[in-house]
Amino acid sequence: MLFMGKKEMNKVKICVLVIMMATCLAACSKSAPKVKCGVYRSKTSDAYIEIFEGEMLIIHNYDLSGLEKILEDETISFAELNESDSEDLRERWDLNRDYVDNRVKYERDDEFYKYEGSIGLIFPLDNPYGVGCTTWGFSYFPASEKIVLEADALVSDDHVSEIFVLEK
């Protein structure tokens, strides 16, 4: 480098800069892994989730009514629904009817993977008000092969938590 002219030094600097940028882009753009197919069993009950190819799953032996209440209460509060609209929403949403023991398609959300190491398994909610909850879902953690359901209410002390671990 001592015998290089200014032009050669600039070329070397540019090459180093390009290599550093390419390395950073490759590291930052690492895509999230696929969700592993299989059976994920609850740590605390006989509930389990089966994951299939094509972003499909079935939830077995799990009562989603606690989560449903949180979603409804949040939506009713944030949308400032009257009693009639609140009742209509509660009748519209039945997570147990729509998701438990049914093969359903989830939407994959990789947005937080590079920050939190989790992939969202998301389900849309039929919310005609557009305010409050419009989706619900699980967090999949590929590194530990766990699926987590975690929900805290903002308008009450309600909390739902469950961890499902891939069966080996």
Side-chain angles (χ1 to χ4, degrees):
M1 285 210 202
L2 293 174
F3 302 107
M4 288 187 196
K6 273 190 168 185
K7 285 185 180 180
E8 288 83 17
M9 280 297 283
N10 286 338
K11 287 180 183 178
V12 169
K13 286 179 183 178
I14 290 172
C15 284
V16 170
L17 186 60
V18 168
I19 290 170
M20 287 175 49
M21 287 175 53
T23 303
C24 286
L25 286 173
C28 294
S29 66
K30 183 179 178 185
S31 63
K34 289 179 63 173
V35 177
K36 276 195 179 172
C37 295
V39 175
Y40 292 76
R41 296 215 177 265
S42 169
K43 287 185 156 189
T44 60
S45 70
D46 64 346
Y48 63 101
I49 298 172
E50 290 181 272
I51 301 287
F52 303 96
E53 290 291 333
E55 299 180 344
M56 302 288 288
L57 65 74
I58 301 176
I59 303 164
H60 297 281
N61 303 330
Y62 192 75
D63 183 6
L64 291 168
S65 58
L67 174 64
E68 181 181 313
K69 182 182 181 315
I70 290 172
L71 299 172
E72 290 168 345
D73 290 348
E74 299 286 307
T75 301
I76 290 167
S77 176
F78 290 117
E80 299 177 353
L81 301 182
N82 62 37
E83 197 61 42
S84 175
D85 290 339
S86 297
E87 186 58 37
D88 287 344
L89 181 71
R90 291 188 193 285
E91 288 177 17
R92 177 184 298 252
W93 290 353
D94 186 335
L95 299 184
N96 287 323
R97 175 197 65 214
D98 296 338
Y99 295 97
V100 176
D101 295 323
N102 293 317
R103 190 175 185 134
V104 292
K105 186 159 184 67
Y106 62 86
E107 296 175 16
R108 182 184 159 109
D109 181 2
D110 297 343
E111 182 178 345
F112 294 104
Y113 178 71
K114 62 184 171 186
Y115 305 110
E116 298 176 1
S118 68
I119 299 167
L121 310 180
I122 307 298
F123 305 97
L125 287 169
D126 180 18
N127 181 346
Y129 308 103
V131 178
C133 301
T134 57
T135 64
W136 73 277
F138 298 98
S139 294
Y140 171 66
F141 294 87
S144 59
E145 297 180 330
K146 292 180 182 175
I147 295 175
V148 177
L149 176 63
E150 192 83 40
D152 288 304
L154 298 174
V155 297
S156 71
D157 292 332
D158 292 335
H159 173 79
V160 173
S161 179
E162 190 73 38
I163 298 172
F164 300 86
V165 180
L166 181 63
E167 186 173 82
K168 302 283 182 183

